[in-house]
Amino acid sequence: MHGGSLTERRKAATRLDIARTAAALFVEHGLRTTRAEDIARGAGVAPRTFYRYFATKEEAVAPLLAADARQWAEAVRDAPGAASDAPANGPLGPAALAARCLTSAEGALRRV
């Protein structure tokens, strides 16, 4: 959130706050029982504001997954050796990369 106008930074912060609230409520109450209205209330926004940012409650965690995906991509890019150079079962092979991705996504839900 370094660049952009103040409005853009506020929107990004609101979007991330909604995402963290959604993830926390999904973990605490489950996906099925958590309503978009619950997420909005928990994030301190109106339901209308929630729907300005996300079409569905399931989409609300997308910013967390996107942030972890960027971190994962950076880690892979910065790791010794390129992923394309690694053997299939080597330290950066497809299985290891998939495991890192899953661990990262699970970590996002635990951090909220």
Side-chain angles (χ1 to χ4, degrees):
M1 272 193 274
H2 294 100
S5 69
L6 178 59
T7 300
E8 290 169 344
R9 292 191 309 266
R10 284 184 181 164
K11 285 181 179 181
T14 298
R15 185 174 176 82
L16 189 57
D17 189 44
I18 293 170
R20 287 183 175 137
T21 301
L25 289 173
F26 291 159
V27 169
E28 185 177 345
H29 301 288
L31 179 64
R32 288 185 184 192
T33 60
T34 300
R35 300 173 307 142
E37 292 79 6
D38 300 328
I39 298 167
R41 187 178 324 106
V45 299
R48 184 175 179 150
T49 300
F50 173 89
Y51 285 113
R52 257 189 232 126
Y53 287 91
F54 305 102
T56 66
K57 66 180 182 180
E58 293 84 0
E59 288 179 19
V61 294
L64 297 178
L65 299 175
D68 274 349
R70 280 190 303 276
Q71 290 173 353
W72 175 74
E74 289 170 8
V76 170
R77 185 187 63 236
D78 297 340
S84 61
D85 296 338
N89 293 318
L92 291 177
L97 294 177
R100 275 191 195 178
C101 184
L102 289 173
T103 301
S104 183
E106 290 170 351
L109 290 176
R110 284 192 202 105
R111 285 193 298 271
V112 293

